[in-house]
Structure formats: C-alpha cells, structure tokens
Amino acid sequence: MAPRQSEHVACAAGQDVLAAGEITFGENSDGYFVEAVSNQSTGYCPDPDCWPAVAEALDRLDLPHPGGFTAPLTFRRCPACGERNIVRDADFTCALCAADLPAAWNFDVA
Ligand SMILES: [Zn+2]
C-alpha cells in the first residue's frame, strides 16, 4: 500500500502490480478495519478480478475487510481510439468514438 498520489510501479518496487485502487480504513473498539475498497485507478485500470491479491494482502495484515470491492469498476481501452473507458450498465461502447469495447480486460495489450 502507498499514499494516494504515489505511483503503483514505485509501490511495487519493480515487481508486477497485482492490484490498484483506493481503500478507506475505519476504526472501532476491535481496531482498524477496511471500510471501503475499490479498483478505482485510472492509471492502471485494473479488472475487478484482481480482488484475490487485495484480499491476500489484507488477510496477511489481519485486517477485517468486506470480502470484495465495495465499488467495483470495469475498465476497457477502446481498440479504435485508445480511450480509457469505464463500462457502465454493461454497455461496452466507447464513450468517445462509439466503437465496441472488448468483453475481456485489455490494458495488458500494447
Ligand atoms: Zn473509442
């Protein structure tokens, strides 16, 4: 984990970035817990299927968490214009050029 304005690559210290997003912690009489967690990273645009990496990190810290992203986002890069899109209401259409977006996560494609 790293502060909000830091780069994922720096946080990963040269290793693969396994997940990215935002996390909010709460505190109660039992200690700290994860109040909210998302994959909201417009730099890395991770797929919600990166949750197991997040859960593993939180479990290693013994931090109670919600068991999944509280606000999962679906990102796709438009193959026609290159724009980064957030898919809403299962509409896989580019918001910029109206091209079809792929069903599978595609930020690993050059
Ligand atoms: Zn497009």
Side-chain angles (χ1 to χ4, degrees):
M1 275 182 258
R4 192 175 213 176
Q5 301 304 327
S6 64
E7 290 296 327
H8 305 105
V9 174
C11 177
Q15 298 182 21
D16 291 341
V17 175
L18 302 179
E22 297 183 345
I23 192 165
T24 303
F25 299 99
E27 184 180 15
N28 59 24
S29 59
D30 295 327
Y32 292 103
F33 64 95
V34 175
E35 202 166 72
V37 57
S38 77
N39 62 326
Q40 183 179 333
S41 164
T42 54
Y44 185 66
C45 301
D47 206 47
D49 70 2
C50 70
W51 170 255
V54 178
E56 185 183 328
L58 295 172
D59 289 344
R60 272 199 311 264
L61 297 169
D62 203 24
L63 270 172
H65 59 74
F69 289 118
T70 52
L73 295 174
T74 299
F75 295 98
R76 293 294 182 270
R77 181 186 305 278
C78 176
C81 74
E83 180 72 8
R84 295 165 185 244
N85 284 263
I86 296 175
V87 175
R88 299 184 194 284
D89 302 322
D91 181 5
F92 285 76
T93 304
C94 178
L96 192 63
C97 77
D100 289 339
L101 298 173
W105 186 78
N106 64 339
F107 286 87
D108 56 343
V109 178

